Amino acid sequence: MEAILNIVLPVFAIMGCGYAVGRAGLLGEQASGALNAFVFYVALPALFFGTMAQLELSQILHWPFIVAFGGGLIGTFGLAVLVAAFVFPGRLAILTLHGAAAIFSNTGYMGIPLLLIAYGEAGLPAGIIATVMTGVVVMAVATMLIELDGNGDEAALQLARNALAAVVKSPLLLSAAAGILWAWSGLDLPTPVARFCDLMGSTAGPCALFAMGLFMVGKSLTAGIGEVGWLSMLKLLVMPAVTYWLAFHVMTMEPIWAQAAVIQAALPTGALVFVLAHRYGLYIQRATAAIVISTLLSIGTISAIFIYFGVG
């Protein structure tokens, strides 16, 4: 519990700082959008390129883990969108962001530190794979689905072209692809470049959390609490349950990998959902509330999982 609190409390502290600065009017009304743009176009691409370029390709191809964690992503996303279509109806872009909030784990800011606490360096590869799957794959799919929503006036073929173009041009996908190509080349990343990527990439999480705090000035966390509560249940209970079944009863893998898959699935909603929502100007309040509330509730649920696995 103490280790989890030590990771979770700084998350709320950064959001609280953003909220306090916003309330004081120190940065102006456009600050949240500017910070969010910085994260999307600068900090995250640096993080993705630097991370991928310094990996051994074999580190991201642990197929049993990928199937278990990916199955949890797909199954939970499908359930979230299916229920939302009837209970919380909206256009495709809204349903996509609803589903993303139900599955996007906070792997980078919380997941990797927790795995290091639980398993030491042996837990790091699982955290890296989960981060790649959420940060690159989920973001790419979500971007495509949002773009497919279009404006209602374009033909289906044109919408598909626009969606594909948006994904291909995404700075997140481009930076990750460039990093993979560099890793494939076998060349070492020059030290100044690696240092730049580390420094710039390390700002992504804090800036996104600070921007969320700025955005929440004058907003209510309790608006749409039924939907946010449903999203938190999906993220903290349903996704880890599906992943547990796949990791322990369907796939065969080492216990550390199976447990790590469940822990990564049980993490609260990550700040990148806010970044994506803000990027399109949709679902921002719900995404922010889901991040805050699921993070608060995760103190209990993740502690229970750590106790169940006997780790930490």
Side-chain angles (χ1 to χ4, degrees):
M1 176 68 79
E2 181 181 357
I4 294 168
L5 283 173
N6 287 340
I7 292 171
V8 171
L9 290 181
V11 171
F12 286 106
I14 294 171
M15 287 190 285
C17 285
Y19 183 83
V21 169
R23 287 279 293 183
L26 298 178
L27 296 183
E29 295 181 359
Q30 306 303 317
S32 179
L35 270 177
N36 194 73
F38 165 76
V39 171
F40 188 82
Y41 289 106
V42 182
L44 283 175
L47 176 64
F48 284 7
F49 174 78
T51 299
M52 302 302 290
Q54 298 178 79
L55 285 179
E56 295 288 339
L57 293 183
S58 60
Q59 286 184 279
I60 57 175
L61 294 177
H62 191 291
W63 290 111
F65 178 91
I66 291 172
V67 171
F69 186 72
L73 288 170
I74 295 169
T76 307
F77 182 84
L79 176 61
V81 172
L82 179 64
V83 171
F86 294 97
V87 182
F88 311 108
R91 49 191 279 206
L92 177 60
I94 297 296
L95 293 176
T96 297
L97 288 166
H98 177 99
I103 66 171
F104 199 101
S105 291
N106 189 353
T107 56
Y109 202 79
M110 288 182 62
I112 289 178
L114 286 174
L115 291 181
L116 288 173
I117 290 170
Y119 308 109
E121 292 295 326
L124 187 57
I128 291 172
I129 294 173
T131 300
V132 170
M133 292 177 69
T134 53
V136 178
V137 179
V138 172
M139 287 288 277
V141 172
T143 297
M144 178 173 288
L145 291 174
I146 293 171
E147 290 286 342
L148 279 173
D149 193 319
N151 58 22
D153 298 325
E154 297 176 277
L157 181 58
Q158 185 60 43
L159 282 175
R161 289 173 177 166
N162 291 345
L164 181 60
V167 173
V168 171
K169 294 177 182 177
S170 168
L172 307 185
L173 187 63
L174 288 174
S175 58
I180 292 173
L181 287 174
W182 189 281
W184 177 75
S185 74
L187 298 173
D188 290 333
L189 197 63
T191 300
V193 176
R195 185 62 177 155
F196 169 82
C197 290
D198 290 342
L199 288 172
M200 191 64 75
S202 67
T203 67
C207 284
L209 293 169
F210 193 90
M212 284 171 51
L214 287 171
F215 171 79
M216 284 308 297
V217 174
K219 310 296 192 306
S220 171
L221 278 177
T222 58
I225 192 64
E227 182 176 358
V228 173
W230 161 248
L231 288 171
S232 297
M233 185 186 75
L234 286 170
K235 186 69 205 66
L236 301 178
L237 299 177
V238 175
M239 184 172 166
V242 174
T243 305
Y244 178 91
W245 174 70
L246 290 169
F248 285 92
H249 299 289
V250 177
M251 307 305 297
T252 300
M253 67 185 92
E254 303 89 333
I256 285 180
W257 283 89
Q259 293 175 15
V262 177
I263 291 171
Q264 296 297 86
L267 295 169
T269 303
L272 280 192
V273 173
F274 169 82
V275 174
L276 187 64
H278 207 295
R279 167 75 177 80
Y280 286 97
L282 299 168
Y283 208 71
I284 307 174
Q285 186 276 334
R286 293 289 195 276
T288 303
I291 292 165
V292 173
I293 292 175
S294 66
T295 301
L296 180 62
L297 295 176
S298 72
I299 297 172
T301 55
I302 294 176
S303 296
I305 289 173
F306 268 48
I307 292 170
Y308 178 78
F309 287 145
V311 297

